[in-house]
Amino acid sequence: AMAAKINPLLSPEARHEHHVVISTIAYLSDKIIFFAAGMISVRFIREPANCGEKGTLAEMFGGLGLLYLVLHVARLVVVVTFAPVLRRLGYGLTTREGIMLVFSGLRGALGLAMGLIVEDNDYIEADEARSIAFYTSGIVFLTLVINGGFVDEVYKRLQLYRPSQYRIRHLTKQLQKVEMECQNRGL
C-alpha cells in the first residue's frame, strides 16, 4: 500500500535505489535471524536433556522427522487446494511448478523468529518453550540442509523452464562477437 503511493513519486533511478536499499535490509534481517537462531540453537545439541521432558532424545528426533514430513504434506495440501484458484486468477501453476513450490517453499526465518520468541515467553512453561524452540530449530535446520541441498537437483530434474532455442542462439552470437572483438584488440 505504501509502495503504491510512493513509487509514482520517484524517478526510475530513485525507484531502483529504493528497491536496492529495501532488498538489502530484508537480506540482512534474514541473515541476522538465522545467525542468532543458530547461536541460540547450539545449546540444544550440546545439552539435549534441556529439550524438555517429552521422552528420550531418540523419540524427540523421531518426532522432528515426522514433523518435517507433516509440514511438507500440509504444504502439498495447501498448494493442491489453491492451485485451481491461482489458475482461475490468471497466475497459472503447472504440476511441475507445484512440486517445486512444495519442495522449496519451506525456509523458516519467520517460524524461527517466532519459536525464539516463544522460548523466552514467561507465560509458557519452560519445558514447553524449550520443546517448541527445539522443533522449530530442527525444522529450519532440516529444510536448510535437505531442501536447500537438493533444490538445484530437483529443479534440474523437473526441467521447469526449458531454455529457449532463440535465446541460446542469440547468446551464442553475442559471445562470439565479444570473443572476436577481444581477439581484434589483442586481449
Side-chain angles (χ1 to χ4, degrees), residues 22-50:
I22 297 299
S23 298
T24 303
I25 291 170
Y27 175 79
L28 291 174
S29 299
D30 188 56
K31 297 304 169 205
I32 289 169
I33 288 173
F34 276 103
F35 178 76
M39 296 302 289
I40 292 168
S41 299
V42 165
R43 71 174 158 219
F44 297 121
I45 295 168
R46 287 189 176 170
E47 303 168 21
N50 229 9

Side-chain angles (χ1 to χ4, degrees), residues 18 40 55 78 102 119 157:
H18 178 260
I40 292 168
V78 168
V102 169
E119 193 217 0
R157 287 184 187 240

Side-chain angles (χ1 to χ4, degrees), residues 13-26:
E13 295 84 15
R15 261 188 246 148
H16 175 70
E17 289 175 18
H18 178 260
H19 176 74
V20 168
V21 168
I22 297 299
S23 298
T24 303
I25 291 170

Side-chain angles (χ1 to χ4, degrees), residues 94-104 150-162:
T94 67
T95 303
R96 290 176 182 192
E97 289 170 333
I99 292 168
M100 191 65 188
L101 185 61
V102 169
F103 184 76
S104 65
F150 292 103
V151 73
D152 286 341
E153 186 63 30
V154 171
Y155 183 83
K156 288 175 189 172
R157 287 184 187 240
L158 286 174
Q159 297 179 347
L160 280 177
Y161 307 110
R162 293 188 178 103

Side-chain angles (χ1 to χ4, degrees), residues 14 16 22 25 34 38 47 49 63 68 108 111 116 120 122 124 126-127 132-134 136 141 151 166 173 177 182:
H16 175 70
I22 297 299
I25 291 170
F34 276 103
E47 303 168 21
Y68 174 80
L116 293 173
D120 198 37
D122 294 333
I124 299 174
D127 284 344
I132 291 169
F134 169 78
T136 304
F141 176 77
V151 73
Y166 169 76
K173 285 181 183 179
K177 285 182 183 179
C182 287

Side-chain angles (χ1 to χ4, degrees), residues 77-175:
V77 168
V78 168
V79 169
V80 168
T81 301
F82 288 103
V85 175
L86 289 172
R87 285 188 192 110
R88 201 143 211 218
L89 291 173
Y91 288 101
L93 184 68
T94 67
T95 303
R96 290 176 182 192
E97 289 170 333
I99 292 168
M100 191 65 188
L101 185 61
V102 169
F103 184 76
S104 65
L106 296 173
R107 286 224 21 237
L110 183 61
L112 192 53
M114 291 171 62
L116 293 173
I117 289 169
V118 166
E119 193 217 0
D120 198 37
N121 191 327
D122 294 333
Y123 297 106
I124 299 174
E125 291 184 35
D127 284 344
E128 292 296 323
R130 281 194 289 282
S131 290
I132 291 169
F134 169 78
Y135 287 117
T136 304
S137 301
I139 290 298
V140 170
F141 176 77
L142 289 174
T143 55
L144 286 174
V145 171
I146 297 171
N147 297 44
F150 292 103
V151 73
D152 286 341
E153 186 63 30
V154 171
Y155 183 83
K156 288 175 189 172
R157 287 184 187 240
L158 286 174
Q159 297 179 347
L160 280 177
Y161 307 110
R162 293 188 178 103
S164 160
Q165 292 304 316
Y166 169 76
R167 185 169 184 232
I168 292 171
R169 278 195 308 266
H170 178 71
L171 184 59
T172 303
K173 285 181 183 179
Q174 295 304 316
L175 289 173

